[in-house]
């Protein structure tokens, strides 16, 4: 998923369709004015309705690899264990190593 798209206020006038497509695709976006973030656009979806803004944002940022597990749990105002449970309910893997990366990680700890 990657970094949220960033739109300047000027670009937003011409690219509002891109902002809407991002939201429909479940992606966050940031709107800036004079280079400073002013608006964070969070997709309005079932997740937002089910868990609220801060937990939805934590899930999105964790899923996009923008926050660590501990950081996302803190943003969600949950313990790491409770956030992992929330991840499971949302269908998001808490650990998403590629098989080769997992094997490398396992061998490096032995």
């Amino acid at each position: 998923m990657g970094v949220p798209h960033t739109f300047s206020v000027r670009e937003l006038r011409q690219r509002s369709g891109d902002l809407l497509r991002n939201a429909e695709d479940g992606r966050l976006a940031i709107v800036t004015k004079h280079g400073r973030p002013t608006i964070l656009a969070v997709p309005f979806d079932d997740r937002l309705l089910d868990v609220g803004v801060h937990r939805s944002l934590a899930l999105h940022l964790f899923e996009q690899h923008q926050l660590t597990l501990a950081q996302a749990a803190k943003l969600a105002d949950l313990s790491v264990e409770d956030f992992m449970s929330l991840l499971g309910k949302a269908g998001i893997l808490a650990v998403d190593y590629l098989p080769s990366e997992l094997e490398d990680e396992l061998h490096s700890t032995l």
Side-chain angles (χ1 to χ4, degrees), residues 28-58:
L28 301 172
I30 298 170
V31 179
T32 63
K33 183 176 182 181
H34 304 298
R36 293 186 181 149
T38 56
I39 297 171
L40 175 63
V42 179
F44 193 90
D45 55 14
D46 289 338
R47 183 187 290 173
L48 180 78
L49 293 172
D50 291 342
V51 299
V53 173
H54 66 292
R55 291 186 179 163
S56 178
L57 180 58

Side-chain angles (χ1 to χ4, degrees), residues 6-102:
T6 303
F7 300 87
S8 70
V9 171
R10 179 174 290 160
E11 289 176 315
L12 189 56
R13 291 183 190 123
Q14 299 168 341
R15 298 181 54 210
S16 60
D18 291 341
L19 179 66
L20 290 174
R21 278 187 289 285
N22 282 346
E24 290 171 344
D25 291 341
R27 293 182 293 189
L28 301 172
I30 298 170
V31 179
T32 63
K33 183 176 182 181
H34 304 298
R36 293 186 181 149
T38 56
I39 297 171
L40 175 63
V42 179
F44 193 90
D45 55 14
D46 289 338
R47 183 187 290 173
L48 180 78
L49 293 172
D50 291 342
V51 299
V53 173
H54 66 292
R55 291 186 179 163
S56 178
L57 180 58
L59 289 168
H60 278 287
L61 291 173
F62 178 78
E63 190 173 34
Q64 294 179 358
H65 305 285
Q66 299 300 305
L67 293 179
T68 66
L69 183 64
Q71 290 168 332
K74 185 175 181 176
L75 177 61
D77 195 27
L78 295 171
S79 68
V80 171
E81 293 80 13
D82 288 342
F83 187 71
M84 289 177 68
S85 177
L86 183 63
L87 287 171
K89 291 175 187 171
I92 300 169
L93 297 175
V95 178
D96 64 350
Y97 285 108
L98 294 172
S100 60
E101 291 173 336
L102 182 57

